[in-house]
Amino acid sequence: QVQLVESGGGLVQAGGSLRLSCAASGRTFSIKEVGWFRQTPGTQRDFVASCTWSGSSTSYADSVKGRFTVSRDNAKNTVYLQMNSLKPEDTAVYYCAARTTAGGQYNYWGQGTQVTVSS
């Protein structure tokens, strides 16, 4: 089992920055990749970014490339999503998720944290 605890959401002005954290515990050795997703009311969860557990590879949705950065703090078993140059359209509930199979489904999910960007 893997447990994910998110933090860092909040309200920010357009152009500002936030850093989301996803702390992993449990059988973290089984994690292959951690992803970030976001969802607005009535919509599906969209992929935002991901990072292999080793930290050797990252991936980003086109909408956030150049603005968001995903990274891992090995000592803390925590994955971060640094969000810069935030736009109102970034407003969503952000979720972190982990998968134990490379390229497979995300098995574990955090509780979500609200990010609101005002114009």
Side-chain angles (χ1 to χ4, degrees):
Q1 287 282 73
V2 174
Q3 295 80 43
L4 304 174
V5 179
E6 296 167 295
S7 61
L11 175 65
V12 66
Q13 292 282 335
S17 299
L18 284 173
R19 188 178 72 166
L20 306 183
S21 300
C22 177
S25 61
R27 298 170 63 88
T28 58
F29 58 85
S30 67
I31 297 174
K32 294 293 191 299
E33 189 171 351
V34 172
W36 288 95
F37 298 78
R38 63 188 182 188
Q39 184 174 19
T40 55
T43 69
Q44 67 183 56
R45 293 185 184 183
D46 294 324
F47 171 79
V48 176
S50 66
C51 178
T52 57
W53 195 237
S54 67
S56 62
S57 181
T58 59
S59 182
Y60 299 91
D62 287 342
S63 59
V64 305
K65 286 182 179 178
R67 299 189 298 120
F68 291 11
T69 303
V70 63
S71 62
R72 181 194 173 196
D73 185 332
N74 293 338
K76 297 180 179 179
N77 274 347
T78 298
V79 174
Y80 301 98
L81 183 67
Q82 178 67 47
M83 305 184 293
N84 299 325
S85 301
L86 283 162
K87 305 174 181 179
E89 51 262 45
D90 295 319
T91 295
V93 176
Y94 283 71
Y95 299 86
C96 65
R99 58 187 179 187
T100 55
T101 302
Q105 292 184 326
Y106 284 90
N107 312 72
Y108 306 99
W109 293 82
Q111 78 286 354
T113 185
Q114 177 71 46
V115 172
T116 302
V117 184
S118 61
S119 60

